[in-house]
Amino acid sequence: MAVTRRIFTFSVVVLLGVTAGAAAPAAAPLPTTQGVYGAVFRDDRGREIVLRGFNVAGSAKLTENGLLPFRSRADAATSAQAMRDLTGANAIRFLISWEGVQPARHTIDYGYLDRAIEQIREFTDRGIHVLVDYHQDLYSAHLFDDDSWYDGDGAPKWVIDAGDYPDEFCGICFLWGQNMQNNAAVREAMYDFWRNEYGVQDAFLDQAGATMRYLRQRLPAAAFDRIVGFDPFNEPFDGGLDGGTGAEWERRWLLPFYQRFRARMDEAGWAAKPAYVEPLVFWNTGFFEQGGLSTIAPLGTRYVFNSHYYDGARITLDPTPAGDGTYAAAMNRVRDRARTLATAPFVSEFGNSLHSDRTPWMVRAMYQGMDAGVPGASWWGAPASGGTVLSNTMWHWDIYSGRHAEPGDGWNGEDHSVVAVDAAGTVVPRLDRRVLDRLFPTAVAGSTLAFAYEDLARSGYGGAGQQQAWLAAPQSLPAIRALTAGRQYGVLVWRGTAGTTELHLPASFAPATTTVVTDVTAVTTALEEGSATARRLLLDAGAGVHAALVVNTTGGTVTAAQLAAAQRELATWRTRHFPS
C-alpha cells in the first residue's frame, strides 16, 4: 500500500496592518458532541467557539443598583465598551434577581425587565454573547437582620414571609459561605424551596417562564441571537440532605428542578438554547466535596455543565502561592465531568479577592488551567494532554468597585472586581492587563487539538512582583526556545476545515511586531466587532492539521535564520505529536 506524505511549508508573517477581515459570527454558539476531547461549542458556521469574559456584576445583589448590574444604560454602555476594548471579551454572565422580577407573588415587574433588556443590548450590540443568570446567595436578603455581619440575595420578601424561619445566626463564621452549612434560617428556607413548600418552587418557575417570554418578545432578533442560554440557579446548595449524600440529593431534588426549568425554556421560545446547569456548590471547593452531577445519566447538549471554581484551600488555610500547573487538575475535573455528561463544559465563576497579594498569580494559573490541563513545563512534550479549551466568565467586572454605599465593597465584604473607575471616569484594570487581555482561539474552523499561552503576567499589582515564564519551550526546540524566550506567545494546533480560524490578539501584540510562524499562507488581522482598538488574528487554512506559533516580538530583533529554524522545528514537532 502506498503511503502519501504531506509536506508542510511553513511561512513567517510579520503583521503590518489591519484589514477588514471576516465578519464576526452573530448567532450564539451551541454545545455539540463534535469535539476531539468531548463536546464543544460551535457557531452557525460549524466553527469551534471559546467564550471568554466576565460576570456583570456582583452589584446586582444591591438595592442601590436596583438589583441590576448597572445603575443606568449609559453605565452599561461604558462597561461594555471598556470590556471589549481592554480585554477582547466575547461573553458575559448577566445577573438578574428573582426579587427584582417578582416583588409580589402575583406581580411581574416588567419595568425591571425593560431595564435589564436595555443593559443587555449594550453588550450584544458590541458583539458580546450573554448568559442570563438567576443569581442567589444564601437564598434571600430577607432572611438576615439589618445589623447582621452577612447578607443574602435572591428570593423576594413575600417568599420568606410565607415560611416560619428562626432568627438568622451563623456562629463562628469566617466566610459568608459558611451560612449555607451553619445558619438555620438559610438552610430551612432553602430546604423548603427544593421541596416546593408553600408552592414556592412553582412560583419561581412561573416567573422564570414569564421572564423568558418577555425577553424573547422584547429583545431584537439580533440581540436574542446572541443570548447563549440561561443559568437557572446560581450555586445551588441543599439545605439538608436527610441522611443522604450530595450526589443523591442532586439526583432527587436538583435534577428534577432543572428539568422543570428546561421545560419552561421550551415553552417560552428558548428551545434552541441550552440550560447552563450548576452542580451542588461544594462539589469542587476542597471542603465538604459532594455531588458534581456524578450519578445522573448523561444530560446531552440541551444542557451545559456549568461549574464554578474557587480555591477553598488558599482562601482559608493554604499559605502557598499559585504557580505553573496549580489548577490543571481542578480544571480537568470540570472537563472530565462534562465529558461524562455528554455536553460542553463552562466555568461561569472563578477568581479571588483583590485584597490578597497572591491573587494575581492565582488568577493567572486559573486561566492557564482553562487554556490547557497540563503544566506549561510539560506542555510542549504532551500538548494533546491539554484537552478542551474551557470557556469561562470571571467573577467579576464591577465599575462601582470601591464606591458602593451599601456595606463592604459590593457585598459581604467581597473585593473581586478586576476593574475600577479612576478620577477621570475611565474604566481601568486592577490586575495586570496581561492576565485579563489574553490570546485565545475565539473560533476554530475545524477542531482544536492543542492550545497554550504564555502571558508573562507579574505576580503583584501595579507592575510589581516577579515575572516568570511558565510555558518555556524545551531545549530540544532551540530555535523556538530562542524566539519565545522572555516573550508573550501562544501556540494553536487544529485539524482544519474550510473557513476562518480566529484568535483574539491582546493589545500588547501590536500588528507590526507580531510574528506568526505557521503553515497557513493567508494570515491577516481585523478589528474585533464593536471595538476600534481590539484586534483578532485571522487564519484561512482549509483541510489538514495546522499549527500557528504567535509571538509578541515587540522591542526585539528576529533574524531570518532564527525564523527559518523555528519553521523547521515547528513543522517537525507538529508532525510528531499530531500526524495528519
Side-chain angles (χ1 to χ4, degrees), residues 463-493:
Q466 63 175 310
Q467 191 175 53
Q468 183 182 90
W470 292 348
L471 183 67
Q475 294 182 357
S476 60
L477 299 171
I480 292 176
R481 186 179 177 90
L483 179 62
T484 59
R487 290 172 169 152
Q488 294 174 295
Y489 77 95
V491 187
L492 174 67
V493 185

Side-chain angles (χ1 to χ4, degrees), residues 161-207:
D161 289 345
D164 181 19
Y165 303 118
D167 190 45
E168 62 90 10
F169 179 67
C170 193
I172 302 175
C173 289
F174 299 102
L175 300 171
W176 66 261
Q178 290 176 268
N179 282 272
M180 288 183 260
Q181 296 291 333
N182 298 349
N183 193 324
V186 170
R187 289 182 62 75
E188 289 181 23
M190 192 77 266
Y191 185 95
D192 285 350
F193 177 84
W194 300 119
R195 286 152 185 80
N196 198 25
E197 296 291 339
Y198 319 111
V200 64
Q201 189 178 120
D202 290 342
F204 176 86
L205 292 168
D206 288 345
Q207 63 81 33

